[in-house]
Amino acid sequence: MTDAITTEIIRHGLLSAAEEVARNLCRTAYNTVVYEIHDYGIGIHDASGDVVADAPGIAIFTRGNDYGIKKSLEFLGADAMRPGDVYLLNYPYWSSAHTLDPLVFAPIHDGSELIGFASCRIHVLDLNQKDPGYVLDSTHSSQEGLVLPATRLYREGEQNTDVFNVIRFNSRMPERTIGDIQAQVSACVTGVRRTQEIARKYGRDSLLDAMRAINEHGEKLARIGLGKLPKGTWSATDFVDSDGVDRETLVKLTATVTVTDEEMIVDWTGSARDVRGPINLPRGQTEALSSLIFKALTTPDSPVVAGNFAPLRVITEPGSVMHAVPPMPTFTLWTGLLAGEVILKALAEGMPDLVPACSGGDVCSMMGLGVNPRTGEAWQEATNEAVGFGATRDADGEDGIMHLSEPGCRNNPVEVLETKSPMIIDSYGYRPDTGGPGRFRGGVGVSRVYRFTAPATGICLVYKTRTNPWPIAGGDEGEPNRIVLNAGTEREVVRGGSYNHLKAGETLANETGGGGGYGDPFTRDPAAVARDVRNGFVSASAARERYGVAVDTTDFTVDAPGTAALRAAGR
């Protein structure tokens, strides 16, 4: 049995290895979504596929990597995996994501013994899906691009040229796609090398003992956290705007959460079935998003390890929007971003002091593509946008930060987007009055306005525009997300998720939602309302109408008699 001090040294060594994997990836990737936004999931896993160390990126990616490795082990068998092998898996029902989020992983051997895996998942630009960029309206998995089910990219250290040729001839952007996949390979090889060095330094048995201890300790921490939660069963429903095909029909997501002394059960029974469009989730992603919320409640201050999720049980119905089965389309995975807050909505019934109100509820992604007149080459760039967070029992929601499903991610800087594409950012800033009023205010969203200097397609991935972010304890709803084309002109159009073909000179505004409020707005400290008006988060008129606070806009002081009259009148 490895002693506690050595186990802790090995744990930090594995965490360091995962961070080095991430740095290697960001140095070598071709795609700004990877090296600027950190749209990746990276892990070091034990021989059964359970993660023991990760590097923060997209949280649900890392947890989904476990699922994909386990499915690959079932498919191929551990004995088939040789030293020097590197695999790619993007079969959605196994990989936990859509076809453009391939999982690349490499077995780690010490001599001939399999001791673990290194994994790296990113978003690549094109694998011959039916539409360039992103697919919003597929109705069958065959429309969603090239599928590779746990296929060797490298066989015992030698490149499998046949597979790379298949990828090259099934991509509209072969150089960047191949380059990004090779960056994943390089990253995984780094993880393999560093883990083998740990095995050589401390001994194979010590490493394997430490991996077991890491996950056993992770489970103990989770059970301690679970024991502190209120016990009961609560349900909630929320909606995705549409499935991209039946565009007028809201898609229902229902979660029933049960907390006992032994486990948390997240039951998605009752969520929509027979969803035609590509918002259906692979089972692995449903497990991953449920895991994200469970970890936030039980072990938020420790790194992710598989043991953290031993007390979590996820129930789904095969064939539902939360458990896609072949050949259900899965390309637009926004259900997985919105569904986490359905769990929080259920928990808010039983533990309102422990969870936040709803955030803006989306990652509000905008992807532009076309032909760049400066180079004559195809271009494709994307960024996710910040939203307002929901308020809590004792704090305002954060203003304009990345959605809770992407805690390790950033957005794409203005300078990068303008350098690499024919887009100019006309304006970028907070959206006043979008945060839900309350004793504690929901955070406000942001607005970024793109002006296209050449004909282009703007693909908007925004699927919470038709329902408002929900509040807690008597607070008010936040304002929802929206996309505005050509604002202030006779061609102005307001919409949500969509393909938009724009001419040179036309604009697209990505306007994100604010979080829900917590508590009665008329009990908010008037000085806090005046501060919000001064900082531009709340307008003077909204301060009067929604908080009952009269603010002097010359010096941003509270008009005490006016405020007293407003609040007495119940306004």
Side-chain angles (χ1 to χ4, degrees):
M1 180 65 68
T2 303
D3 64 89
I5 293 174
T6 303
T7 296
E8 189 68 358
I9 292 170
I10 290 173
R11 183 176 75 87
H12 281 275
L14 293 170
L15 286 168
S16 178
E19 290 289 351
E20 187 175 350
V21 170
R23 289 196 299 273
N24 186 318
L25 175 70
C26 289
R27 284 197 300 267
T28 56
Y30 282 46
N31 183 352
T32 60
V33 168
V34 178
Y35 64 78
E36 291 288 352
I37 295 176
H38 292 181
D39 190 322
Y40 54 66
I42 284 166
I44 305 295
H45 309 252
D46 66 18
S48 65
D50 287 324
V51 66
V52 293
D54 83 323
I58 294 185
I60 59 176
F61 271 11
T62 302
R63 184 64 179 143
N65 291 2
D66 282 24
Y67 192 91
I69 291 171
K70 289 175 183 290
K71 285 294 184 183
S72 298
L73 282 167
E74 291 175 14
F75 180 55
L76 297 173
D79 291 343
M81 298 180 177
R82 308 300 305 155
D85 285 356
V86 183
Y87 295 85
L88 184 149
L89 169 66
N90 76 332
Y91 181 56
Y93 317 102
W94 295 352
S95 75
S96 312
H98 66 187
T99 52
L100 290 195
D101 290 340
L103 167 62
V104 172
F105 66 93
I108 304 170
H109 290 82
D110 183 52
S112 60
E113 181 175 343
L114 178 67
I115 60 172
F117 294 90
S119 71
C120 176
R121 185 193 304 272
I122 68 171
H123 177 82
V124 300
L125 295 178
D126 195 281
L127 286 172
N128 211 26
Q129 67 281 3
K130 79 179 188 70
D131 301 312
Y134 226 87
V135 177
L136 305 186
D137 60 356
S138 52
T139 56
H140 192 284
S141 60
S142 63
Q143 299 170 307
E144 297 182 339
L146 178 68
V147 171
L148 296 168
T151 302
R152 288 177 180 83
L153 295 171
Y154 283 77
R155 186 186 300 272
E156 298 185 63
E158 295 296 323
Q159 180 173 297
N160 189 346
T161 304
D162 291 346
V163 172
F164 278 97
N165 284 336
V166 169
I167 295 170
R168 181 172 289 107
F169 282 86
N170 280 275
S171 177
R172 299 173 182 87
M173 306 180 80
E175 180 181 355
R176 294 177 69 182
T177 299
I178 293 287
D180 284 337
I181 291 172
Q182 290 283 35
Q184 289 180 270
V185 171
S186 175
C188 286
V189 169
T190 298
V192 170
R193 184 184 304 123
R194 293 294 177 253
T195 306
Q196 288 174 331
E197 288 172 358
I198 293 170
R200 286 196 295 271
K201 184 172 184 179
Y202 297 100
R204 177 198 302 170
D205 291 342
S206 292
L207 172 61
L208 296 179
D209 283 347
M211 286 179 166
R212 282 191 292 272
I214 287 167
N215 272 319
E216 287 171 1
H217 184 252
E219 180 177 348
K220 289 178 182 177
L221 292 177
R223 293 196 181 279
I224 292 170
L226 178 68
K228 297 176 181 178
L229 299 179
K231 306 305 186 285
T233 298
W234 310 279
S235 295
T237 294
D238 213 333
F239 298 89
V240 183
D241 281 353
S242 78
D243 67 358
V245 176
D246 300 320
R247 297 185 58 82
E248 302 305 313
T249 302
L250 291 168
V251 179
K252 183 175 72 171
L253 308 180
T254 295
T256 298
V257 184
T258 299
V259 180
T260 72
D261 291 330
E262 299 299 324
E263 64 181 350
M264 176 184 284
I265 305 166
V266 181
D267 186 351
W268 293 99
T269 302
S271 297
R273 299 183 62 87
D274 302 318
V275 175
R276 292 206 300 153
I279 66 166
N280 300 291
L281 289 189
R283 161 78 190 196
Q285 186 159 135
T286 300
E287 288 190 8
L289 72 91
S290 303
S291 298
L292 171 63
I293 303 302
F294 181 75
K295 181 160 180 63
L297 288 167
T298 56
T299 56
D301 299 322
S302 62
V304 170
V305 297
N308 293 153
F309 311 109
L312 174 67
R313 182 154 57 98
V314 179
I315 299 172
T316 57
E317 295 180 292
S320 72
V321 69
M322 303 304 291
H323 187 156
V325 296
M328 292 171 67
T330 62
F331 202 96
T332 311
L333 295 172
W334 253 240
T335 306
L337 308 177
L338 277 58
E341 290 185 286
V342 183
I343 302 174
L344 292 177
K345 188 177 183 181
L347 293 173
E349 296 181 15
M351 51 187 85
D353 293 348
L354 297 180
V355 301
C358 188
S359 77
D362 204 316
V363 300
C364 301
S365 183
M366 201 293 290
M367 177 181 293
L369 55 92
V371 175
N372 193 331
R374 296 197 297 263
T375 64
E377 297 180 351
W379 68 275
Q380 181 176 317
E381 295 296 336
T383 187
N384 299 337
E385 210 54 87
V387 295
F389 263 41
T392 63
R393 176 190 63 181
D394 51 13
D396 292 345
E398 293 291 338
D399 301 297
I401 62 173
M402 300 306 290
H403 185 253
L404 59 86
S405 64
E406 300 193 336
C409 294
R410 313 179 299 194
N411 57 16
N412 223 333
V414 169
E415 297 82 357
V416 171
L417 292 172
E418 291 185 341
T419 300
K420 292 182 172 293
S421 67
M423 296 188 294
I424 298 294
I425 309 304
D426 278 1
S427 63
Y428 190 22
Y430 290 122
R431 288 182 71 198
D433 296 333
T434 52
R439 181 169 68 254
F440 294 101
R441 170 181 61 78
V444 300
V446 303
S447 174
R448 182 162 7 191
V449 179
Y450 302 81
R451 183 177 300 277
F452 294 84
T453 60
T457 298
I459 305 174
C460 297
L461 296 155
V462 186
Y463 282 83
K464 189 174 177 63
T465 68
R466 298 174 62 189
T467 54
N468 286 40
W470 43 268
I472 296 179
D476 287 349
E477 296 177 334
E479 290 297 310
N481 310 286
R482 65 179 196 166
I483 301 297
V484 184
L485 305 178
N486 300 308
T489 74
E490 61 183 14
R491 294 167 293 146
E492 179 175 305
V493 177
V494 179
R495 56 180 48 168
S498 52
Y499 257 86
N500 301 285
H501 300 292
L502 298 129
K503 300 176 183 177
E506 292 192 307
T507 63
L508 185 155
N510 190 357
E511 300 189 345
T512 74
Y518 192 108
D520 181 359
F522 275 55
T523 64
R524 183 168 176 77
D525 180 359
V529 178
R531 185 170 59 249
D532 287 340
V533 174
R534 183 183 68 233
N535 290 333
F537 297 136
V538 175
S539 66
S541 60
R544 293 177 61 88
E545 294 168 7
R546 306 191 72 178
Y547 291 95
V549 177
V551 178
D552 185 329
T553 56
T554 60
D555 60 5
F556 299 105
T557 58
V558 176
D559 178 351
T563 293
L566 286 169
R567 290 194 164 181
R571 292 191 59 199

